[in-house]
């Protein structure tokens, strides 16, 4: 399994913060950066993400792995926004996404999954806790599937083709989702 979204033990100030404070901060920054289109707010979100990353003292290997997965999306989205709507929109959209991905990475890497689940269950129902756990797990699963598809392409000596990459990834993701749905139905989560 990918360790992109897995807890990384530590004693930093970010590790010691309660899960609720981390999730609330992530939610507030998410809403603010999506709703308010101001360069200073995007810059502030990026500064907060950078500060949280430094304070969390996460292993460099983990940070590199996380950003290898995120960078392509951020750059492609930023480039597209630059071409279609200009540099200000590109900074707002790509910068906001980069800040949120960095903060989400810090939250998931400094907070045990059980703490996140306990928070979700305390805040609402057990189903929300299960949904949160599945959401966290799904990111790592899709990343692993994408890595496997690319490794298979390389093993066959194929270059990169978006269609040749996307089709097997979507098919494998749907199979994974079907298996998960069957498991949930078997456990009574079908109503």
């Amino acid at each position: 399994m990918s360790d992109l979204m897995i807890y990384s033990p530590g004693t930093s100030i970010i590790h010691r913060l309660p899960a609720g404070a981390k999730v609330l901060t992530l939610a507030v920054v998410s809403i603010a950066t999506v709703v308010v289109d101001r360069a200073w707010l995007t810059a502030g979100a990026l500064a907060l993400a950078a500060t949280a990353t430094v304070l969390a003292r996460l292993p460099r290997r983990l940070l590199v792995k996380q950003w290898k997965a995120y960078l392509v999306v951020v750059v492609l989205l930023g480039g597209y926004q630059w071409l279609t709507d200009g540099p200000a929109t590109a900074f707002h959209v790509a910068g906001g996404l980069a800040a949120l991905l960095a903060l989400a990475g810090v939250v998931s890497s400094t907070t045990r999954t059980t703490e996140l689940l306990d928070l979700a269950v305390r805040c609402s129902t057990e189903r929300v806790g299960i949904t949160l756990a599945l959401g966290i797990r799904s990111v790592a699963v899709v990343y692993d599937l994408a890595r496997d598809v690319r490794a298979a392409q390389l093993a066959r000596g194929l270059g990169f083709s978006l269609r040749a990459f996307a089709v097997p990834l979507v098919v494998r993701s749907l199979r994974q989702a079907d298996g998960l749905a069957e498991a949930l139905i078997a456990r009574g989560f079908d109503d």
Side-chain angles (χ1 to χ4, degrees):
M1 184 178 107
S2 167
D3 58 2
L4 282 179
M5 304 298 251
I6 292 182
Y7 176 74
S8 177
T11 58
S12 74
I13 190 168
I14 304 294
H15 281 84
R16 293 189 308 260
L17 285 173
K22 292 185 244 187
V23 170
L24 181 61
T25 300
L26 179 60
V28 168
V29 172
S30 298
I31 292 167
T33 55
V34 169
V35 173
V36 181
D37 184 4
R38 297 282 186 263
W40 63 266
L41 185 62
T42 303
L46 285 166
L48 176 65
T51 301
T53 301
V54 169
L55 290 175
R57 297 190 312 240
L58 296 171
R60 179 175 286 135
R61 174 189 53 77
L62 175 61
L63 294 173
V64 168
K65 212 173 227 193
Q66 286 177 341
W67 277 101
K68 278 173 69 176
Y70 304 153
L71 199 56
V72 173
V73 174
V74 171
V75 169
L76 288 175
L77 183 61
Y80 174 77
Q81 291 296 323
W82 185 293
L83 292 173
T84 59
D85 295 319
T89 301
F91 176 69
H92 171 68
V93 172
L97 179 62
L100 296 178
L101 287 170
L103 285 172
V106 168
V107 170
S108 65
S109 299
T110 61
T111 313
R112 287 182 171 85
T113 304
T114 53
E115 292 176 64
L116 291 171
L117 293 175
D118 289 344
L119 176 65
V121 169
R122 276 194 320 266
C123 291
S124 70
T125 67
E126 189 173 319
R127 288 184 188 266
V128 172
I130 300 245
T131 302
L132 179 62
L134 291 174
I136 291 168
R137 174 78 175 110
S138 294
V139 172
V141 168
V142 172
Y143 175 78
D144 285 343
L145 291 174
R147 191 179 57 206
D148 292 347
V149 167
R150 185 63 188 137
Q153 286 179 323
L154 292 173
R156 290 192 301 271
L158 300 175
F160 185 77
S161 162
L162 185 57
R163 184 177 13 193
F165 176 75
V167 170
L169 178 60
V170 168
V171 169
R172 291 183 74 185
S173 297
L174 290 173
R175 282 187 190 149
Q176 180 77 21
D178 282 343
L180 179 60
E182 288 174 10
L184 289 171
I185 290 169
R187 286 166 181 80
F189 284 94
D190 60 335
D191 56 331

